[in-house]
Structures are given as structure tokens and as C-alpha cells.
Amino acid sequence: MPTDASEELSKKLREISVAEFFEKNRHLLGFDNPAKAILTVVKEAVDNSLDACEQARILPEIRIVIKEARKNFRILDTSGAEIAQLVLEDGNAELRLGDNIIKPIEKKEGKNEIIYLFSYENLNYKFKIIKKENEELYEFVRGKTELKILKLPQDRYKIIVEDNGPGIVKEHVPRVFGKLLYGSKFAGGMQSRGQQGIGISASLLYAQLTTGKPAKIYSRTSPSKPTYYCEIRIDTTKNEPIILDEKFIKDGFRDHGVTIELEIEGKMISGSHSVDEYIYQTTISNPYATIIYEKPDSTKLIFKRTVEELPPLPKPIKPHPHGVELGVFERMLKLTDSRTISGFLTNEFSRIGSGTADQLCKLANIKPNTKPKELNHIQIERLWKIMQTFNFMKPPTDCLSPIGEENFISGLKRKYKADFYAATTREPFVYRGNPFQIEVCMAYGGSLPQNESAKILRFANRVPLIYQASSCAITKAIQKIDWKHYGIDMQNNLPFGPIVIAVHMASVWIPYTSESKEAIDPYPVILKEIKLALQDCARKIQRYIAGKRRREEASQRIGLFEKYIPEVAHSIAYLSEEDEKKIKESLEKMLKKSDILKNIQEESD
Amino acid sequence: MSIEVLKKLGKKLINDIQKNENPSLDVPIRTLSNITYDPKTKLIKLGNKTAKRYLFNVAHIKKFVQTIETAAISKELIEVNKHLNLREVYYKMRRTIPDTNINIVDEQEETNKAIEDLELITGLSREQLHFNADRNGFAAGNIIIKDRGHIIDWSKMGSGGWAIPSNVEEIEFKKVDAKFIIYIEKAATWERLNEDRVWEKLNCVIICSKGQATRGIRRLLQRLNLEHNLPVYVLVDLDPWGIYIYSVLKFGSISLAHISESLTIPGAKYLGLTPDDVEKYGLKRHIEKYKDVDLKRLEEVSNYEWFKHDKRWQLFFSKMRELKGKVEIAALTERGISFISDSYLVEKIKNKDWIE
């Protein structure tokens, strides 16, 4: 029997909402630091947009905008001491002198410049922004003295993600974005990018925690309807959305789609963990998506789709009996509408027909017409154990949506200019009752860097995996291969040289190592499948490298032959008493003909 | 006509080019694998295996160029009626292709081989192609010859003997009194025999070529053997290399198997030291232990087709193996300065103590 104290504790625990829990454990969702947070927000929003478009059978066009939300400046006098701070936000300037916040008395906007005038204790201050092509210059004048103005590193960003998806009806908008663990995907059974329905709400929560600003959402479901606009916050104790403002907007929005605008504390970085890298990789795994990316420095990158056809919509499937965990199985028994255990098994699982269901019941010594809710814990466990060892048919694989060899190559070409591309899509396989499929695409040579480690790109259900490379099944599989065997150099256990290796795992349920979905758990079956796919694709690269080497050798040979020709021509001319020049020309002509070259190669091999 | 053969070779290459085929030469293979021994004629013969040598082939081009260049040089020599020594041919071909670091030839061995190949390709001898080898043999004895208009008496050549040219085709034998020829491997032994005037005492000719007999000497020996019925005795050291000198004279060589007929003396007799002589003359303490190369060569030589089925020679080889070392003919000096001239040769020839 539980004590009074433990009962009290469990009551308290139940009162902590999911939202509150994640507020305290935000690293679990990928918000460990400002740099990673900005990536996570972009990623969650883009993943949702792509999923929505695909499910509505719309070729996605997604616009991502990252803007500096607030600019901070320090004003220094000639001795270098700070005399004031200046904040610029949404076109409004604020001068901070000690504890005093001073608003401008006048704002003058010119063609390429903006001037703010301040006045405080009989002194005039002038702040001037000069706009140049790719940068802004700042001037600050106190009275008649020009002072030094320093721009502080950016700490707040506005992130806007806009899609041309089906839009979300007004009634659902607040809950989709403002309630954790809410969403259509949570029902499961279909391959999609999001799995738990927490990502985007967690982003809202993060914005709320770091800047206090609400999320702004625009949604339109059809051209005949107005755009619904709302600003929402999350009530963290209740895990419920709070609508701060809502209205319908008539014009100025695309025919259908969703736009989400969040302001967060973040840091833009460059390199392998950057937002840029995530976007590049997203263009690779989604060649049918057009992606427009506007960076904080206002550069605009447009990635036009290279494939004009959406991948087939994966079919939802019921769980396979081998994949189900005992706890989940128990919960399913409690929630089912089926009236008999036999009906429950056939309705809730794939690959169980009524005959198999009766057989399972018989083996578990349970009457097939028992009501599911009447099973006791011992019976449940017995039935579950029998299900785990029973030889079922493998799960159907039409629930998977691989990128496809051709499209994967077309995707990789969007970013990497190489001499040769190859791809391999394996047949679907099963781990713990879950079907999955591995694909590998490689690029070799061309403008890829010669003296760097191979570029490794990891994808799970078309989502680029940016962090936690070393604990990921993909990295581990790559390390297990002897790349030298395929004519590829190695350094520190990894392939080295002008090669890009992209690996994609498609599955209804990807086993991530953590909730932030950064790495694939290295199950032995998954590792093995990845390895086989890598080896198959590497063989294609190997053939290319061997061919390339042969071609290089051939051209060296031709060089050698060319040098000898004048000598040979002279001797033959003397022997045959024919024209030396003619012989020389004929020999040179012979060298240029490709069929001769081919014979030459065969003869010397 | 040699010149026509060479021109035809050039036309063949032109023909290849016109047919858009990789220009090639058919070179008979000169290795043991393409050698047959004919027990009837007792001659080593070249088989009919040939190898194609292509111009446009990285592995062949260098040799191809060397071969056709020697052909061109030969044609020029015949046209102006001059001869070039092998060394001179090497210098004529030794150059670097402009703007490259490619040499047409790096060593004389390459031009020598190219000329041998050219002989095989054209069926013409080195002499017909106007190439000469170094002379490195000398003769003394009761023979008078005519060479380029001069009468030369081999018995009046003093201590040096008559130097044998590489081409002996034009030599005329004016007076042949000698009854046989002793071919000697080592110059030192020849000098001993010359000082002892053995050729006078035994009425013979003594000829030396410092090791393996050159072509000119082989031809000279063959001509004397054929034209004047002089038997040829071969005086060599007791080691596999000495046996092979005898073997080349008698059966022919692997690299010149294509002209065996014009060089070999099937009746040549081995007059060198035998394992039994080592016992007989008490030379045991002069046995010089075989090195690995010696043993390897002994096995090779004893396995040649022309020795393999000869019981007498097989017994000889097995006795050589038992000796575990080689013995030089000069070891006989121990028995007396002129022991070889006064006793060894006299006894051997008198007792017909040779091997055929």
C-alpha cells in the first residue's frame, strides 16, 4: 500500500504539465544553446511545412526568412568609456542613458538613410543609419561631436517560415501550435518527418521563454477564404494555448498555406551545425521542393525544385506485432473499441488475420471471445510474449517513401558539383517489426575538396541530421567500411578526399537516440543495411575511379607516343623512301582517333 | 639484296598506317621456350613463335623505335658501303628526344639487342646489315690466309697472334697445313700454348676468344672445320660456364639459334678438364667451392635438351656436383710450367681422351 507521502508526491507530479516539464528540460528538444535553438526552430517549422504539403499533394514552396530582430549599440566617448546604449527594434530607436530610456523626438527617413534625433537635458543626439548595398553604416553625434558607435553581436532573431501547404482551419490553429503533444502525426502509422507533435509547440515555448514575444500565425485554407491571423502564447501549467489577438485578413497572402513568425534568442553560426547547412541538406533530400532562404544579411538564396513530381504518399500501417512494447500493448488493450480479444488483435495489428488471432489466443490459453479489458496483467504479458516469438509475415513496405536513386542524385546535384554521382536504394527491411529502407547517394571528384575528410550527410525521413554525428548509426556504418578497398583514401577511420556520402533512412518509426531527433540508434540490423547500401554505392564509385585512372593513364600514354612520333616518322620514311611529313601526319591522326586508342589500351593491358 | 629487304620492312609499316592499324613488327621470340633441339642434326633451332612489337604500346614503343632506327642505319650503311661497330651504332643512336627526357637508348646492350632482333625480322645476318662486333680473339698456327689483299701467315704472328675480325666471310684460306684446331677459353692458357709453340709441335691452330666465342670466331672455326676438315678441340675450365662455351660451339646458342647452321661445329670435342682429371692430376686442393650462381647454372646446363638425354654428360655433371667446386685449367701449372703443352694435350689427343 502506498504511504500518504508518496500519494501526495504522485499527485504533485501529475500536476506538472508537459509544457512545464519541457520548459525545465529544453535541451531534450534541441534548445541547449542559442545557436542550436535557431536551427531547431527553423527545422521544426520547415519539417511541418514539407509534411503538410506532401500530405496535401502540393509541390512545396517554402520561404525561410531570418532577420535580426533587435540591434544593440554601445556609444563610446573619445576616452573609450561607454556613455550610452542604443536599441533599434522594428524601426524604433531607443537611447538608454544610465537608467533613463529616451525616445526620439524626430525620425527622418531619406532614400538611403534614416536619422533619429534625441534630446535630453539640453543636449541633442543624432543617430544616423546609412544603407549601402550589402551593409549598413552607423553614425552617432552628441551636440557637435561625433562619437564612436559599436554594434553589439546579434542576440535576437525573427524567424519566418512560410509555406504553400493546405493551411490549417481556424479552430485547430491555436492547438496545433500552442499545445504540446497535439497533432495529426501523433496517431502514427505513417512515415513522416515529425513524430511526436511537440517540435513546433516547443519552439513557441522557447520564443516565449527567451523574448517573451508571442507567436504570429497566418493560415489560409483556400483562395475563397480570408486569412486567419492570430497571436498565441502557451499557458505552461495547463498546456493550453492562450490567444492574445486574432483576426481575419483579406488580402496580401498566398492562396493557401501557413506562415509562422517567431522571435527568439539565438545565434547565427557558420559551418556544419549552421542553419545554412540544414537548408542546403534539406534541398538535397527534397528535390521536389522549392526553397527560398533570406539570410539576416539580406542575401536571398533560391533553390528551385529539380524534380516536378511528389514522392508517392506513404500508406499508413497498423503496428506489426513484433514492434509493439509491452506498455504500449497494455494501453492499446485499455483504449480499444473491440469487444473480443480476437477482434482486437485483427483490428489493431498488421499481419494478424482471424485465424492467426485464434491461434495466438490458443497458445496463450485465452478464450478468443474474452473482452480485452478483462485480461489481467499475467494474461496480457503471456499473450505479448507469444506474439513476440510467433512467426508473422513481415510488415508491408508500401508505408515507406524512399527518395529514390534518381531523385537523390538530382538532390545532391543541387549543392555539389562533382564529376560523378551514384546512388543505391536497398530493398525494405524490418527491425523490431518496423519496416525501414536505406538509401545512399555519393558524389565524387569535380570541385569537391581534395584535402578534406569526406562530407557525410545524414537523413532520417528526409530530415537532415545535423548534430550528434558520432553516435549515429550512419557514421558508425561508414567507419566500419574499409574505403581503401574502393579506391577512396582514409584518415582517422573515415573516408577522405573529394567525396560526398549521403545516407537516408526511411521508416515509420525511426529509432532516434534522443527526443531531439539528432542521431539514429545503431541497431545491428540497421547498421548492417546501411553498410550494405554504402558498399554497393561505393562499388559504383570505385568503377568510376578505376575508369578515371585508366583514362588518365591513356592520356599519359598518348603524350608519350606523341613525343616519339617524329623519330619514328624519320626512320620509317628512310626505310620506305616515302614522305616523312606525310607519315608524321598520319601517325598523329591515328593517335587522335578514339577507336585506335581503345585498341591500344586493350593491347597493352 | 639486303637493301630491298629493309625497304620492304619500311613499306610494311607504311601499309599498317594506311590500313589505320597500329604499326607492328613480328619479332621471333629468342628464349628457351622457343628453342628446339634437333637430335638428328645436333643443332639448336629457333621455333616459329613470334611476338608482335607495336608502335603504340607503352611497353613496346622504346624497343620498336630502337629496332626501326637500327634498320634505317643499316640501310644507310649499305648504301654508302661502310660498316659500323656495335659501339658506334650505340653512339649514333644515343640521343634525347628534343624537349623531353626520353633517351632513344640508354645502354649499348639495347642497340645490340635491337640489331639481333633486326637480324631475326629481316632474316639477314649482322654482317649483311653492315654491323661489326668488337674483335676480341686471336689465332696462331700453320695456316696462311689472305685478308683485304694481304697475305698473312699465322705462324709468324709473334707473341700476340693474328687478331680475328668480326666478319670473316671475305677471308681466303691460302695454305692449310694444320691438322686440327684447339679453341681456348682463357687468354692466359692461349699465351702459354703460344709461348710453348704448341701449334708448331702438334701442327695445329690455337684460337682464343676470351670466354664465350664471338660470332666471327665461331664462323672462322666452322669454315676451317667444313672447308678443310680440321677437327675442333675445346679447352675450357671445369665449371658450368666452360661447359656452356663448348655447348655453344657444338650445338649453337639460344640467342643466335636462328643462324645455328652457319655457326656451329657439330663435331667439336671437349678437351677441357674432367672430374676424372682432377683425381688423375691431383688437383683436388684447387677446387674452388661453387657459388649459388654456379650451382644454378650447372642445373640449367645439365637440363638442356641436348645434354639431358646424353648419359655420358649426365655422369659428367653428377661428378661435377660431387666435386662441389670448379677447377680452372690453369691449375695444371702446378705440375710444371709447360705441363699442359708437353703432357696434358699430347696425352689427351693421343689417347683420344675427349668427350663428344
Side-chain angles (χ1 to χ4, degrees), chain A residues 557 560-561 563-564 567-568 571-572 574-578 583 586-587 590-591 593 596 600 603-604, chain B residues 7 10-11 14 17 20-22 55-58 61 65 68 71-72 75-76 79 95 97 100 102:
Chain A
R557 267 182 222 145
L560 177 78
F561 297 152
K563 286 167 190 161
Y564 269 113
E567 308 292 328
V568 175
S571 298
I572 295 180
Y574 194 87
L575 282 176
S576 61
E577 295 168 13
E578 303 249 0
I583 296 170
S586 310
L587 287 172
M590 262 177 115
L591 260 195
K593 284 195 185 159
I596 289 292
I600 291 163
E603 279 152 11
S604 34
Chain B
K7 195 172 162 185
K11 293 279 187 204
I14 293 280
I17 295 168
N20 210 16
E21 279 170 11
N22 196 348
L55 168 60
F56 295 131
N57 179 316
V58 173
I61 189 164
V65 171
I68 58 164
K75 183 160 178 273
E76 186 187 346
E79 278 165 358
R95 66 172 187 280
I97 299 176
T100 71
I102 303 167

Side-chain angles (χ1 to χ4, degrees), chain A residues 83-146:
Chain A
I83 61 134
Q85 284 183 2
L86 198 132
V87 178
L88 192 67
E89 193 174 1
D90 290 334
N92 298 316
E94 224 177 61
L95 186 64
R96 292 175 180 175
L97 283 166
D99 292 337
N100 301 300
I101 296 172
I102 299 133
K103 304 269 181 197
I105 50 165
E106 200 186 341
K107 181 183 174 186
K108 288 194 248 175
E109 271 183 90
K111 196 184 169 200
N112 289 318
E113 58 176 36
I114 304 169
I115 296 168
Y116 296 91
L117 294 171
F118 302 89
S119 176
Y120 184 70
E121 288 181 348
N122 296 329
L123 257 177
N124 287 328
Y125 300 87
K126 189 172 92 176
F127 174 51
K128 189 173 169 187
I129 304 167
I130 303 141
K131 289 191 171 167
K132 295 226 166 155
E133 206 167 309
N134 276 324
E135 56 173 351
E136 280 183 344
L137 297 178
Y138 310 100
E139 271 175 29
F140 194 85
V141 182
R142 180 176 64 185
K144 287 184 173 173
T145 327
E146 184 168 346

